[in-house]
Amino acid sequence: MVTIPEYYEGKNVLITGATGFMGKVLLEKLLRSCPGVKAVYVLVRQKSGHAPQARIADMINCKLFDRLRDEQPDFAKKIVAVNSDLTLPELDLSREDQEVLADCVNIVFHCAATIRFNEPLKDAMQLNVLATQKMVVLAHSMKHLEVFLHVSTAYANCDRTLIEEVVYPPPVDYKKLIASLEWMDDKLVSAMTPGLIGKRPNTYTYTKAMAEYLVQQECGNLNVAIIRPSIVGASWKEPFPGWIDNFNGPSGIFIAAGKGILRTMRASNNAVADLVPVDVVINTTLAVIYFVLSCLRRPKSILVYNCTTGGINPFHWGEVGMKHVLSKYTKTNPLEQAFRRPNVNLRSNPFTNQYWTAVSHTLPALLYDWYLRATGRKPRMMKTITRLHKAMMVLEYFTSHSWVWNTDNVTMLMNQMDADDKRTFNFDVRQLNWAEYMENYCMGTKKYVLNEAESGLPAARKHLNKLRNIRYTFNTVLVVFIWRVFIARSQMARNIWYFVVSLCFKFLSYFRASSTMKY
């Protein structure tokens, strides 16, 4: 059998969602580790007056492509930007582009989707379901297509506790739902949405499940694979550790915690934080294509791959996650201009969390905005806190629950690969050291999301010490105030206070005497 790079040699590849987080990493890894690939067509729409070619040129200038640029200076010549909009009829492709894609594309990676959890159902259906349907139609027109790979999510079937590597039928016929949404107004759709999505927490997971079923029903004689990553995080190793470019998911939580804005969140300490590095997902994706084609005959059913870590190398929100993140923020890599010293408490009880949200988030934000107004500046903290609360409400479901994913197909895929491919396309998460990974993740959010240089670390540490001193001063003033208002005015309170102080003093004296005794 040929190796994975040998398989991709001379192939023409089509990628949707190439400007997104996963799409960028896929494009970079494909070109770097499979240098024999003939061309990579990327469907890109015009945005903010920038043509697709200009958007791609701007994208490949980022640090993510530095290693590829060093190894293959002319890699950009293989990237072909195709003007397209997945929400428009026929993907808004020109007749000429349709013919080119139909004549030469061998492999399709459909990564494009909306990842906004609270997207209106109509919009989520348009981007996650109808766009997928159009891509399947386009795939059927491709004369030399070998594999169509659809990127879904491990949470598509989060209404189940145990999730197998199969496509589950949705509770509603997707064809009837598509037809109904065409004539319904937004108000009616919004009213119907909770009933439609059922036990699923949002329209994202609902429409991704529906897209999987659509692919299964309409793929016909195409070779199709579906990959389901869980929470996609910063890179583990490739092209370098810690690369991240967005605030989504854990990144936003880590940044909010590091800035001292996030103080309490609803989560279970024992819940598995099923985080998977983006390069693990991409390596799995590239290997899946190779494996599907290496089968002697077309599989009887669509191959589904649950790309998760919880069942193989788990870590938990409480035990490893937030505590380790905060340790790194406060000691090694603090963020610049933190609002307060980082300190996050996880609370499983919603009422307790609401109380501490008001005390730790809303009240300090109101006081700070009052201070800004008093000094003639524009208040901004309550706006930030409101946005944070909305984001945390969306994430609560995933930080408070755990799932079990079957990963037999991923294990089988790994066992089929030779030693060289396992090294080049490593997705064995048993080797993942979470402490090291989280340290790189934290540094990645600082460097690549917030664009904070390492040279600013001494000033950031000095600022945290200043915040610590402010906190100690405030606590001292608060104790004196409580003393003056409550204790100093009551003889009984004074007696109790003196008794406690005397007891502590006697205990301290006894401890000192005991420690100096010679035996």
Side-chain angles (χ1 to χ4, degrees):
M1 293 176 65
V2 298
T3 63
I4 294 176
E6 288 172 344
Y7 164 71
Y8 282 97
E9 192 166 338
K11 295 290 194 296
N12 291 305
V13 177
L14 174 66
I15 301 176
T16 68
T19 57
F21 176 49
M22 281 182 55
K24 292 176 189 175
V25 181
L26 172 61
L27 179 62
E28 190 276 341
K29 175 66 176 179
L30 176 63
L31 292 171
R32 177 167 52 82
S33 296
C34 304
V37 68
K38 186 176 181 181
V40 182
Y41 295 86
V42 292
L43 299 189
V44 188
R45 65 185 174 90
Q46 185 173 331
K47 185 178 180 181
S48 303
H50 297 287
Q53 294 79 5
R55 291 186 64 194
I56 293 299
D58 182 62
M59 180 187 78
I60 62 177
N61 279 329
C62 74
K63 185 174 176 59
L64 173 68
F65 291 87
D66 284 355
R67 181 177 170 185
L68 174 61
R69 198 166 10 255
D70 292 339
E71 297 177 7
Q72 302 175 42
D74 297 328
F75 76 93
K77 294 180 180 178
K78 294 183 179 181
I79 305 174
V80 182
V82 181
N83 185 36
S84 174
D85 188 332
L86 272 62
T87 64
L88 298 179
E90 296 186 333
L91 305 170
D92 199 30
L93 290 169
S94 67
R95 189 60 55 190
E96 181 183 355
D97 287 337
Q98 289 182 34
E99 292 174 358
V100 169
L101 297 177
D103 289 338
C104 71
V105 170
N106 306 113
I107 303 161
V108 173
F109 293 100
H110 179 43
C111 307
T114 175
I115 57 172
R116 294 177 182 171
F117 287 172
N118 55 354
E119 194 85 76
L121 182 59
K122 261 191 176 182
D123 296 338
M125 285 289 293
Q126 182 82 329
L127 293 162
N128 292 344
V129 180
L130 290 173
T132 302
Q133 187 177 46
K134 294 167 191 172
M135 284 301 303
V136 173
V137 172
L138 178 66
H140 278 293
S141 71
M142 295 174 178
K143 302 170 186 176
H144 307 289
L145 183 67
E146 297 177 4
V147 189
F148 180 94
L149 185 136
H150 174 66
V151 178
S152 184
T153 172
Y155 297 99
N157 301 285
C158 60
D159 54 331
R160 299 171 178 266
T161 305
L162 173 64
I163 302 170
E164 304 283 353
E165 291 177 307
V166 298
V167 176
Y168 294 97
V172 178
D173 186 330
Y174 72 91
K175 293 181 180 178
K176 292 181 179 179
L177 181 59
I178 291 171
S180 300
L181 291 177
E182 289 181 357
W183 59 265
M184 288 184 184
D185 60 29
D186 293 342
K187 188 175 181 180
L188 180 57
V189 174
S190 179
M192 291 179 58
T193 297
L196 286 171
I197 65 176
K199 294 181 180 179
R200 289 184 175 87
N202 50 53
T203 57
Y204 170 70
T205 56
Y206 179 74
T207 53
K208 293 299 281 186
M210 195 160 287
E212 286 187 6
Y213 188 72
L214 180 148
V215 170
Q216 183 191 58
Q217 295 299 304
E218 301 191 7
C219 67
N221 61 351
L222 299 176
N223 285 324
V224 174
I226 296 174
I227 185 165
R228 293 175 178 158
S230 50
I231 304 172
V232 182
S235 59
W236 173 24
K237 294 181 179 180
E238 297 184 86
F240 48 84
W243 187 79
I244 185 77
D245 72 343
N246 60 76
F247 290 90
N248 298 329
S251 306
I253 294 176
F254 299 161
I255 291 171
K259 289 288 188 180
I261 298 172
L262 178 65
R263 315 290 291 179
T264 179
M265 61 179 284
R266 189 183 173 196
S268 172
N269 283 299
N270 297 322
V272 175
D274 208 296
L275 186 63
V276 58
V278 63
D279 48 334
V280 168
V281 180
I282 297 308
N283 286 338
T284 308
T285 301
L286 291 170
V288 162
I289 295 287
Y290 161 78
F291 179 74
V292 171
L293 265 296
S294 69
C295 294
L296 297 177
R297 53 190 172 86
R298 184 177 180 273
K300 294 181 180 179
S301 60
I302 292 176
L303 288 173
V304 180
Y305 297 84
N306 288 334
C307 188
T308 60
T309 59
I312 305 167
N313 185 8
F315 88 102
H316 303 85
W317 286 108
E319 294 177 17
V320 182
M322 295 309 296
K323 290 181 181 178
H324 188 77
V325 169
L326 291 175
S327 172
K328 291 302 171 186
Y329 272 136
T330 53
K331 295 179 182 177
T332 336
N333 307 318
L335 300 184
E336 297 175 9
Q337 296 300 312
F339 176 58
R340 298 170 70 184
R341 281 183 64 83
N343 180 33
V344 176
N345 291 290
L346 307 187
R347 308 182 195 281
S348 57
N349 187 298
F351 300 105
T352 305
N353 186 59
Q354 285 181 3
Y355 167 77
W356 283 108
T357 296
V359 172
S360 301
H361 292 176
T362 307
L363 183 58
L366 289 171
L367 292 173
Y368 187 67
D369 279 352
W370 174 83
Y371 166 75
L372 291 177
R373 286 193 186 94
T375 55
R377 287 177 285 177
K378 185 178 179 180
R380 62 177 186 274
M381 191 51 65
M382 267 309 296
K383 185 178 180 180
T384 301
I385 289 295
T386 302
R387 289 174 59 190
L388 175 66
H389 288 171
K390 288 180 179 179
M392 296 310 300
M393 285 178 66
V394 170
L395 293 173
E396 275 182 7
Y397 181 85
F398 302 97
T399 57
S400 303
H401 294 81
S402 294
W403 292 264
V404 177
W405 285 277
N406 182 305
T407 56
D408 288 347
N409 285 346
V410 175
T411 303
M412 176 180 64
L413 174 63
M414 193 183 305
N415 293 336
Q416 292 288 329
M417 295 167 63
D418 64 25
D420 289 338
D421 282 343
K422 284 181 179 178
R423 282 191 295 270
T424 307
F425 301 90
N426 183 19
F427 54 87
D428 187 357
V429 294
R430 292 173 298 181
Q431 304 171 13
L432 178 60
N433 181 299
W434 284 111
E436 181 183 340
Y437 174 72
M438 295 305 291
E439 181 177 356
N440 291 329
Y441 198 153
C442 293
M443 199 61 191
T445 59
K446 178 180 176 66
K447 291 170 65 176
Y448 310 121
V449 180
L450 300 176
N451 296 315
E452 294 181 2
E454 290 188 50
S455 59
L457 283 173
R461 296 187 185 110
K462 186 177 180 180
H463 180 69
L464 279 190
N465 290 334
K466 179 182 175 182
L467 292 176
R468 180 197 59 193
N469 294 336
I470 292 173
R471 179 190 172 192
Y472 288 161
T473 302
F474 175 79
N475 289 344
T476 302
V477 172
L478 184 62
V479 169
V480 171
F481 175 78
I482 293 173
W483 168 267
R484 297 298 301 172
V485 172
F486 298 103
I487 299 178
R489 297 186 179 185
S490 169
Q491 183 63 43
M492 181 180 291
R494 285 201 301 273
N495 292 338
I496 294 173
W497 173 261
Y498 292 141
F499 173 75
V500 171
V501 171
S502 175
L503 195 64
C504 291
F505 180 77
K506 288 179 180 179
F507 174 79
L508 188 60
S509 300
Y510 174 78
F511 178 78
R512 286 177 178 174
S514 300
S515 62
T516 57
M517 289 179 65
K518 294 182 180 181
Y519 295 93

